[in-house]
Amino acid sequence: MDMLVKLYDLKPDAALDARMERQRITIRRVLPPELKALTDWITPRFGVGWSSEATAAVMRQPPTCFVAIQNGTLIGFACHEATAKGFFGPTGVDSAARGQGAGHALLLTTLLDMHAQGYAYGVIGGAGPMDFYRRSVGAVPIEGSIPGIYRGMLAEAEPEEISESHV
């Protein structure tokens, strides 16, 4: 189910920023030359679909993908404008780094960027942890949004389905 966020109500969170600083977590916009490193990190953790969406976000100008880096190591990412205008996602934090607030910081940074680009509302597409989004940014469910924009999406081809003529 998709969720809706009032971007005009969001404010930076100084306590969250201080927590990130204490834990040596930096949230920043990804650079296009980092695309391969980013997608190589995303694919085994979250799949090719999310890697494809992140690619679309990185290729925008400015990129609409943010990363969380702790002690020089990528631990998470968040994008907007990947699948549709006004959409937040995909986003993910490495399972070993969860619980430190990086997901919340990525979410807030990305949504604030959407607002700075002129959006009053943001849609969290196919929201997984709905309680997290409700608690973190006041997101509300959009009734009737399943499967939403992802309706009829192509399945990923398996290697044995690839035509011999294209090998």
Side-chain angles (χ1 to χ4, degrees):
M1 177 175 292
D2 297 341
M3 297 184 84
L4 188 68
V5 180
K6 289 188 256 180
L7 301 176
Y8 54 83
D9 279 348
L10 297 180
K11 304 284 183 248
D13 184 333
L16 182 60
D17 292 343
R19 182 177 176 197
M20 293 300 97
E21 190 171 329
R22 278 193 310 277
Q23 295 176 113
R24 295 190 174 110
I25 297 173
T26 301
I27 308 294
R28 66 167 174 81
R29 193 179 305 271
V30 73
L31 296 171
E34 297 172 311
L35 175 61
K36 183 166 179 357
L38 177 66
T39 58
D40 285 353
W41 184 89
I42 293 171
T43 300
R45 289 167 179 82
F46 303 104
V48 161
W50 284 17
S51 187
S52 297
E53 287 181 292
T55 298
V58 171
M59 298 313 295
R60 292 189 172 280
Q61 198 52 258
T64 55
C65 187
F66 293 82
V67 290
I69 300 166
Q70 185 175 41
N71 300 318
T73 301
L74 179 61
I75 62 167
F77 77 105
C79 304
H80 70 90
E81 307 289 303
T83 297
K85 288 198 171 285
F87 266 61
F88 168 83
T91 184
V93 173
D94 189 272
S95 59
R98 291 180 189 155
Q100 299 180 64
H104 187 183
L106 282 162
L107 171 66
L108 189 55
T109 298
T110 306
L111 293 177
L112 288 170
D113 189 61
M114 289 177 72
H115 186 251
Q117 290 190 28
Y119 291 98
Y121 295 91
V123 175
I124 301 173
M130 293 178 72
D131 287 337
F132 167 74
Y133 293 122
R134 189 176 289 115
R135 195 175 54 251
S136 299
V137 292
V140 295
I142 301 173
E143 296 304 322
S145 63
I146 297 172
I149 196 167
Y150 303 102
R151 176 181 293 122
M153 204 164 80
L154 295 173
E156 292 177 32
E158 294 296 324
E160 64 271 6
E161 296 172 344
I162 297 173
S163 168
E164 291 280 328
S165 65
H166 291 90
V167 178

